[in-house]
Amino acid sequence: MNDRSDDTAALLIRLMPAVFVLIWATGFIVARYGMPHAPPFSFLFYRYLLSIGCFLVWIVIARVRWPRTGLEWVHLGVTGMLMHAGYLGGVWAAVKGGMGSGLSALIVGIQPVLTAIWLSATGTAGSRVTGRQWLGLLLGFAGLVLVVSRKLTYASPGDHVTWANFSWALLALVCITAGTLYQKRFVKPCDVRTANTVQLLAAALVTLPLALLEAEPFRWNLESAGAMAWSVLGLTLGGSSLLYLLIQRGAAASVASLMYLVPPTTALMAWVLFGEPITLLTIAGIALTAFGVALVVRPAAPRSR
């Protein structure tokens, strides 16, 4: 019985990266449904509040222990400001400001390379990026360019790049990179539910002033309510929790490389849901990205004596 439980637990751990990519890729689908009806920071602020409420109910029922020291709260708060408020706020503000989803995905997609550069420059011997992983990162980014190339070439009339939306996209890139590295370095392992709650509290505090400055009203309808429901239940309770666990369990470069797989997965979802065409170039990009990520996350072969 114990062996069967151990096998089940091991299988779930192995499936975590794939499930994370599938959930995280729906973020662009949610934005497509919710963005026309709500300003970005107001949407995110309500998302954080509703997510906090869900986590609190879960914490009370499960009687989960909160972080013990003030320093743990501070570290979790910093990661919340970076990985929730900074990253999500930057992406949503850039897209709302007119930047196409292809370009925003490409800019944020530089994250694995930035993570690898930082680890190579400052990391210990065990955390530095190997030559094989560098090859995988570069191939993965090349595949990402192929996947989003159609969106870059055939942008809709409303797509345009300004200093404002480009700055928001760069902010998102810096925040998700810094947040991943900061959490891996400073955040001690603790319960994912309380950790996420602390992170979301910090993100809500940062996002509230920006939401109050938005003049556009939040229009509740079936599309915005559905987008909000999935944002809370799927993306935050599911995706953010899995990202926290993956960072705690895995190497930073390997976890960051999973972000390469998000745009290809989103392209497949958009093909199924919205009938967006997939070209041979897109298929080649998906294959190249998957191969590159496989090179990054594959365990190193043990050295023979």
Side-chain angles (χ1 to χ4, degrees):
M1 185 67 178
N2 290 334
D3 291 341
R4 183 174 298 177
S5 300
D6 293 341
D7 291 342
T8 302
L11 176 61
L12 292 176
I13 291 173
R14 287 196 296 270
L15 290 176
M16 279 171 54
V19 176
F20 164 75
V21 170
L22 286 174
I23 293 176
W24 208 253
T26 62
F28 291 96
I29 307 299
V30 165
R32 179 163 180 168
Y33 278 110
M35 191 71 75
H37 311 289
F41 295 107
S42 296
F43 186 96
L44 291 173
F45 179 70
Y46 287 125
R47 169 180 168 175
Y48 300 149
L49 287 186
L50 292 171
S51 300
I52 290 169
C54 292
F55 272 122
L56 287 176
V57 172
W58 195 0
I59 290 168
V60 170
I61 293 175
R63 297 180 181 180
V64 178
R65 184 188 298 275
W66 289 87
R68 297 182 179 182
T69 67
L71 189 59
E72 289 180 292
W73 282 72
V74 170
H75 288 322
L76 287 169
V78 172
T79 58
M81 289 187 287
L82 291 171
M83 301 183 69
H84 289 282
Y87 168 65
L88 293 176
V91 170
W92 279 63
V95 175
K96 186 70 173 183
M99 179 178 286
S101 58
L103 181 56
S104 60
L106 187 60
I107 292 173
V108 178
I110 303 174
Q111 181 220 347
V113 177
L114 290 184
T115 301
I117 292 173
W118 178 268
L119 291 175
S120 295
T122 64
T124 60
S127 64
R128 289 198 179 115
V129 182
T130 65
R132 171 177 55 80
Q133 289 179 316
W134 269 115
L135 176 61
L137 289 168
L138 295 177
L139 290 177
F141 185 72
L144 175 62
V145 173
L146 292 179
V147 170
V148 303
S149 60
R150 185 183 180 279
K151 289 183 176 291
L152 296 174
T153 307
Y154 303 100
S156 65
D159 291 345
H160 60 280
V161 179
T162 65
W163 281 109
N165 59 28
F166 186 71
S167 299
W168 281 117
L170 285 181
L171 175 66
L173 169 62
V174 172
C175 286
I176 188 62
T177 305
T180 301
L181 293 168
Y182 189 95
Q183 179 173 322
K184 186 64 179 177
R185 173 67 176 84
F186 294 106
V187 175
K188 296 181 179 179
C190 59
D191 188 89
V192 66
R193 291 159 289 191
T194 54
N196 254 319
T197 303
V198 177
Q199 290 177 339
L200 291 167
L201 284 169
L205 290 175
V206 173
T207 305
L208 177 58
L210 298 173
L212 293 175
L213 293 174
E214 292 176 323
E216 179 185 351
F218 195 117
R219 295 181 295 275
W220 287 102
N221 52 40
L222 186 61
E223 289 185 346
S224 62
M228 181 64 71
W230 179 249
S231 293
V232 172
L233 299 176
L235 289 169
T236 302
L237 271 70
S240 296
S241 299
L242 283 172
L243 180 58
Y244 175 87
L245 292 173
L246 287 169
I247 293 174
Q248 290 296 322
R249 290 176 176 272
S254 298
V255 175
S257 69
L258 295 176
M259 294 297 182
Y260 278 156
L261 297 174
V262 173
T265 307
T266 303
L268 293 174
M269 290 181 176
W271 172 57
V272 174
L273 296 175
F274 308 121
E276 292 189 5
I278 289 185
T279 64
L280 290 176
L281 198 63
T282 305
I283 297 174
I286 292 174
L288 186 60
T289 301
F291 178 68
V293 172
L295 289 178
V296 177
V297 302
R298 190 182 69 191
R303 294 181 180 179
S304 58
R305 293 184 181 181

